[in-house]
């Protein structure tokens, strides 16, 4: 089939995915119909910060694969693989490092931010590997001569860096091996965690993609609502309520009615949460079904990763031949 172009995107295997990741994954699922897609579980990127805490990494990779497949990524349509299985990512990063000015890496805004943020938590990541994070990411993208990268807004500086590297390579070696990849901005998730903060596994305020019905119910029950509302008949203030935020995304059609029922004290928080839990549960139900299909099939999962790696490697090797020919090495 003639596809529009080539996509690469990836996620660091740092733990289970949650419903806040769904909008990104739905985007990927749609794109796999139109584009030649490469989706990498970027374990080397995880190592840049978790180099001293690697016990979980293999397990996290397996969980990520299951989360992706459950959410609808189709190994027949795109290539799903582990970054470290394609050594060309590392080889290209090394070759590109020869032409990468240090100052370009040092001025990537996420670099200093993270250095300071993790430094405050007592973690020193002033390593060569972490400084090279954006270059490894550029290699992930460029090794497939990707033209389109679906990412969140937080990744835009990295993508800009990647374009600069592509330009510099083409200029220095008088070639056009690399296209300048464009970002395709993914919808950002507006879903807060159940305590109202940003949803994150590390805050334990998330609803995992793999949550069973009971877990969905109990997590929704724990959501913070209007603290001023003690009895059901007390007037509610939806604007301070986490459950309301969810309804405004999921129950857009009857949100006004719900809002006025809450303000008048006609609907209680318990009932409102039950409705929400049902909606989230319905959303997770097809995901759960796919998970049941894939889980406990280590052979099938291994095959998926092997086939994905094979397709990816073929393309990556082609690129490396072009790169070396342009560099005359
Ligand atoms: N840095 C990305 C993130 O944290 C993950 C990533 C690594 C990536 N390589 C990539 C995303 C290449 C897009 C393309 O989300």
């Amino acid at each position: 089939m003639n596809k529009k172009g080539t996509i690469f995107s990836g996620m660091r295997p740092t733990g289970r995915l949650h419903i806040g990741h769904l909008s990104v994954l739905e985007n990927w699922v749609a794109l796999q119909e139109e584009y030649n897609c490469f989706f990498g579980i970027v374990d080397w990127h995880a190592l840049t910060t978790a180099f001293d805490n690697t016990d979980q990494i293999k397990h996290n990779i397996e969980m990520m694969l299951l989360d992706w497949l459950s959410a609808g990524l189709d190994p027949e349509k795109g290539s799903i693989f582990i970054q470290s299985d394609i050594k060309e990512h590392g080889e290209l990063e090394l070759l590109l490092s020869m032409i990468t000015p240090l100052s370009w890496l040092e001025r990537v805004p996420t670099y200093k931010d993270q250095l300071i943020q993790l430094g405050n938590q007592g973690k020193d990541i002033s390593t060569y590997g972490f400084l090279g994070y954006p270059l490894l990411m550029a290699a992930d993208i460029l090794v497939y001569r990707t033209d389109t990268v679906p990412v969140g807004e937080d990744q835009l500086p990295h993508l800009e860096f990647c374009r600069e590297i592509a330009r510099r390579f083409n200029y220095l070696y008088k070639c056009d091996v690399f296209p300048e990849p464009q970002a395709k901005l993914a919808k950002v998730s507006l879903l807060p965690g159940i305590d109202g903060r940003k949803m994150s596994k590390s805050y334990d305020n998330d609803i995992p993609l793999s949550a069973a019905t009971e877990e969905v119910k109990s997590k929704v029950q724990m959501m913070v609502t209007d603290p001023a509302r003690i009895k059901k008949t007390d007037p509610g203030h939806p604007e301070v309520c986490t459950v309301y935020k969810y309804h405004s995304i999921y129950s857009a059609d009857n949100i006004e009615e719900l809002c006025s029922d809450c303000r008048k004290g006609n609907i209680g928080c318990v009932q409102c949460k039950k409705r929400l839990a049902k909606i989230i549960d319905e959303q997770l139900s097809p995901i759960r079904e796919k998970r049941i299909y894939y889980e406990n099939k280590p052979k099938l999962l291994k095959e998926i990763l092997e086939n994905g790696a094979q397709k990816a490697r073929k393309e990556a090797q082609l690129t490396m031949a072009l790169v070396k020919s342009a560099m005359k090495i």
Side-chain angles (χ1 to χ4, degrees), residues 216-217 219-226 229 232 236-238 241-248 250-251 254-255 257-263 265-280:
V216 173
K217 275 191 196 156
K219 287 272 169 85
V220 173
Q221 258 161 30
M222 280 153 64
M223 277 185 189
V224 285
T225 54
D226 176 2
R229 216 175 164 200
K232 175 183 165 226
H237 303 88
C241 174
T242 303
V243 179
Y244 173 74
K245 279 217 181 71
Y246 274 75
H247 274 302
S248 65
Y250 289 135
S251 321
N254 43 24
I255 191 67
E257 195 188 330
L258 191 73
C259 201
S260 95
D261 280 347
C262 171
R263 286 191 200 285
N266 288 344
I267 179 172
C269 296
V270 173
Q271 196 188 345
C272 193
K273 284 178 169 178
K274 273 194 183 141
R275 272 198 215 169
L276 179 63
K278 188 157 173 273
I279 294 170
I280 296 179

Side-chain angles (χ1 to χ4, degrees), residues 23 38 70 88 100 150 154 177 260 275 286 288 306 312:
S23 56
F38 296 95
S70 312
E88 285 75 7
T100 304
D154 61 318
V177 170
S260 95
R275 272 198 215 169
R288 235 175 252 142
E306 277 171 7

Side-chain angles (χ1 to χ4, degrees), residues 8-10 12 42 45 133 137 140-141 149 151 155:
F8 178 89
S9 201
R12 282 169 297 138
V42 290
H45 276 103
Y133 186 109
M137 179 161 162
D140 293 343
I141 296 169
V149 187
V151 280
Q155 297 296 313

